[in-house]
Amino acid sequence: MKNLKVYILFTALLSLIACSKNFLDTEDVTSATEQNFYKTPNDAWKALVGVYDGLQRVWSGGIAFPVASVIMSDEAYGGTGNSDGFGFQMMDEFDKLRSPSDQNLFGDSWSLYYKAIYRANMLLGHLDGVDWKGNEGLRKTYEAETRFIRAYCYFDMVRLWENIPLITKPTTDNVPQANVDSVYKLIADDLTFAAANLPATSYGAQDPSTRGRVTKWAAASLLGRVFLYYTGAYGKADLVGVVSKAAALAYLEDVINNGGFGLVDKFANLWPAASLNNYVGEDNKETVFAIKYTYTSDWNGNVDGNNWMVLYGIRIQSIYPYGMGWGGATVNPKLWNAYAPEDSRRSASIISIKDEGLDFQNIKDQREYTGYTIKKYTPMADAAGRSLAEKMGGVSFMISQYQDYVSIRYADVLLMAAELGAGGAQNYFDDVRKRALGNSFVQIPVNEANIMNERRLEFAGEGIRYWDLLRQGINVASAAIAESVTVQNGGVNTVKTISASKIIETKGLVQIPYTQITLSNNVLKQNQGW
């Protein structure tokens, strides 16, 4: 990482093209420079939109965090086409020998995260230069939103790579990797600031036009998630001395008691593909924080769309209501079988080719076919097979998927609070299960094992399970993920092996891009096992 300008460009900050729905619409600022920008609250607002745009873009190239999280877990295999390269199998099996040439599988991901962090650092570094007279309250709000987004990015990065440079201001220095506690200290400080300085506007009172902006409740909820991951994965009692267990629970209880959120009545109605006529829509009462997407992506640098969701689509075939995709992240049958038949989450979370009577004809073009694919985030098509994204005006189903990524749901807040020992833990736990099981609900005790199992079923395919495994320890994670199983590659039964020793050797981390190690003149060091 010798020269950070390789991946952090000031021009990216100034190209604040309208990037999403509602509040993210703004004018381009291509005529601005660092010297004449950041003078007025309106300048700061445009830069803040650029920070949100940076977050939206982090998964527009490389391997998106939700995709990597699902594939590395016990939920799904790499999948993709039978004649494709083996990069996804390398990731899935934690084995660099599966695809030795894929030394930069996460190269674009690394660069896009640091671009987003650069935008955040640029705005934070210039807030004092803005004339806030008459708008003093905006300063803390904009700072809080920006610091949340910076923390969000760093939390993704430190979980993926662990050993990363910690950059808190724009620089072209050759920055070495930081101690992991230093990264978590920044995350904790940023999120506590955000939670303390964003308005406590409840969900019901929030202006619908601002949906998608960071809220106090998003910061408090993410603090709970960070606390649980850090203390679990690193065996610590608190979050780097900044957040205690009691404080983490208090943040979550604040969301529950004052955030105005609630569970959508039927689980299937949370997901477009699971509820064609009853989808409750985006920004519903269960959405605490989502990354916004829309269909207006193009081939000229506008990346407003959900570019990663196409990977989950059925391999090169539209089968109403599902649109075509690349056949990645084929679901492990163990996940389907983990659900009780009466659990409504099974058919809402997973497409079962057989059970839904789908005529899948491209099995010879599919690697690691299992008969199951992810439903929560899958492209959709009309009865004639036309992509809904293209039907809405998108240029291509590949880049114009418009479904938001719901990063934090209220159900997660309830289960995290229950795990941390809330007084209402049994009720929180029961509420999540009652919705899923309906008349089949039978109360079971709220304890760690039952909560972890419930989280597996509730959040399948949402990019949460892998980190729930890792925070229980690498031995627990490796035991859950490792297996030798028969899948179909091109229609031929093939044994696939995921070795526990490989997961342990790599500590469950991903490969640092070798291009970045080279650019740093080897100041950056590769993660073990890679």
Side-chain angles (χ1 to χ4, degrees):
M1 225 171 68
K2 182 178 180 180
N3 194 338
L4 296 185
K5 67 183 180 182
V6 169
Y7 57 75
I8 47 179
L9 305 176
F10 179 67
T11 53
L13 173 63
L14 299 179
S15 297
L16 308 184
I17 301 169
C19 62
S20 189
K21 305 160 190 166
N22 299 328
F23 79 97
L24 291 181
D25 293 336
T26 190
E27 295 178 0
D28 200 337
V29 199
T30 51
S31 62
T33 68
E34 186 176 358
Q35 287 70 38
N36 65 24
F37 203 49
Y38 306 108
K39 299 299 183 184
T40 69
N42 189 48
D43 292 339
W45 163 251
K46 291 173 181 177
L48 178 62
V49 173
V51 175
Y52 276 97
D53 183 63
L55 175 62
Q56 187 188 61
R57 289 170 177 262
V58 290
W59 302 334
S60 63
I63 309 297
F65 185 86
V67 173
S69 303
V70 167
I71 289 175
M72 292 190 295
S73 75
D74 58 348
E75 295 180 313
Y77 305 120
T80 68
N82 194 44
S83 60
D84 288 344
F86 288 91
F88 274 43
Q89 282 62 47
M90 178 183 75
M91 173 174 54
D92 181 22
E93 298 168 21
F94 302 86
D95 186 355
K96 65 182 181 182
L97 296 181
R98 286 289 272 140
S99 190
S101 64
D102 272 309
Q103 295 186 347
N104 297 297
L105 190 65
F106 284 86
D108 287 343
S109 302
W110 178 284
S111 298
L112 288 164
Y113 274 115
Y114 275 111
K115 285 180 180 179
I117 287 168
Y118 179 82
R119 295 187 185 197
N121 286 338
M122 282 290 289
L123 177 53
L124 292 172
H126 286 86
L127 285 174
D128 287 340
V130 173
D131 180 5
W132 296 102
K133 188 175 181 179
N135 296 281
E136 290 82 2
L138 285 179
R139 188 196 189 285
K140 284 189 176 180
T141 299
Y142 289 4
E143 180 178 354
E145 292 179 77
T146 303
R147 291 180 68 172
F148 173 95
I149 291 171
R150 181 171 69 175
Y152 189 102
C153 290
Y154 268 126
F155 186 42
D156 279 5
M157 294 173 70
V158 76
R159 283 182 291 170
L160 286 170
W161 294 289
E162 188 172 79
N163 303 296
I164 58 174
L166 180 61
I167 301 169
T168 59
K169 60 182 181 180
T171 180
T172 56
D173 291 344
N174 191 1
V175 181
Q177 288 145 307
N179 178 281
V180 69
D181 285 350
S182 299
V183 180
Y184 276 98
K185 178 67 163 57
L186 180 79
I187 293 170
D189 287 343
D190 278 353
L191 292 178
T192 54
F193 181 91
N197 288 282
L198 286 166
T201 306
S202 70
Y203 171 82
Q206 187 179 352
D207 184 341
S209 69
T210 65
R211 303 289 192 213
R213 289 185 71 173
V214 174
T215 66
K216 175 186 181 70
W217 318 117
S221 301
L222 189 56
L223 267 168
R225 182 177 289 177
V226 173
F227 176 88
L228 285 169
Y229 185 79
Y230 175 81
T231 56
Y234 296 99
K236 302 295 180 71
D238 60 26
L239 178 55
V240 290
V242 177
V243 180
S244 66
K245 181 177 180 180
L249 176 56
Y251 279 117
L252 296 171
E253 292 274 42
D254 193 17
V255 179
I256 294 168
N257 295 327
N258 302 306
F261 300 99
L263 296 177
V264 167
D265 291 342
K266 293 185 178 180
F267 183 83
N269 294 350
L270 288 166
W271 317 104
S275 55
L276 299 184
N277 300 314
N278 298 299
Y279 174 47
V280 293
E282 298 168 343
D283 308 314
N284 59 71
K285 66 179 181 179
E286 194 163 336
T287 300
V288 179
F289 182 67
I291 295 179
K292 308 292 290 180
Y293 296 109
T294 189
Y295 59 86
T296 56
S297 285
D298 56 38
W299 301 112
N300 299 312
N302 182 3
V303 291
D304 300 346
N306 184 330
N307 290 3
W308 52 269
M309 202 169 80
V310 67
L311 183 82
Y312 290 158
I314 294 172
R315 180 72 186 173
I316 315 298
Q317 185 179 350
S318 291
I319 312 176
Y320 178 77
Y322 312 121
M324 74 170 68
W326 306 142
T330 50
V331 171
N332 190 326
K334 288 194 305 184
L335 179 58
W336 175 267
N337 294 328
Y339 290 93
E342 61 271 19
D343 193 326
S344 64
R345 294 172 298 193
R346 182 172 72 171
S347 60
S349 303
I350 303 169
I351 299 169
S352 171
I353 301 294
K354 178 181 178 181
D355 289 277
E356 296 188 29
L358 304 180
D359 183 19
F360 180 54
Q361 300 175 356
N362 287 333
I363 192 168
K364 290 188 176 181
D365 190 35
Q366 174 73 63
R367 180 176 293 158
E368 297 176 343
Y369 178 74
T370 63
Y372 303 103
T373 66
I374 291 171
K375 183 179 288 188
K376 287 178 178 175
Y377 292 100
T378 194
M380 296 179 66
D382 64 15
R386 185 181 180 189
S387 163
L388 293 191
E390 294 179 3
K391 196 171 182 177
M392 293 177 68
V395 299
S396 171
F397 75 96
M398 293 184 284
I399 62 172
S400 300
Q401 299 301 325
Y402 51 87
Q403 184 178 338
D404 293 348
Y405 173 67
V406 183
S407 174
I408 305 173
R409 286 199 284 119
Y410 184 61
D412 194 6
V413 176
L414 292 175
L415 292 179
M416 288 192 292
E419 186 176 346
L420 287 172
Q426 186 69 56
N427 289 333
Y428 299 160
F429 184 60
D430 289 350
D431 285 348
V432 174
R433 297 186 65 249
K434 284 176 182 177
R435 177 176 65 175
L437 297 170
N439 293 333
S440 299
F441 169 79
V442 176
Q443 189 180 73
I444 60 176
V446 57
N447 57 42
E448 183 178 0
N450 285 340
I451 288 173
M452 283 299 177
N453 185 62
E454 207 59 37
R455 291 180 64 82
R456 179 190 187 191
L457 304 176
E458 179 72 18
F459 305 119
E462 297 181 47
I464 291 176
R465 167 69 172 174
Y466 183 62
W467 313 107
D468 279 349
L469 288 172
L470 276 187
R471 67 184 175 89
Q472 297 176 74
I474 191 65
N475 290 329
V476 171
S478 61
I481 297 168
E483 64 177 329
S484 185
V485 63
T486 298
V487 294
Q488 288 190 316
N489 289 351
V492 177
N493 286 346
T494 307
V495 175
K496 175 182 178 66
T497 299
I498 302 175
S499 170
S501 63
K502 290 294 184 183
I503 301 170
I504 293 170
E505 181 184 0
T506 60
K507 296 171 58 180
L509 302 173
V510 303
Q511 187 180 54
I512 293 174
Y514 273 92
T515 51
Q516 297 298 330
I517 294 174
T518 300
L519 286 168
S520 75
N521 284 338
N522 294 311
V523 168
L524 297 184
K525 305 301 180 185
Q526 184 58 265
N527 285 331
Q528 67 180 44
W530 293 107

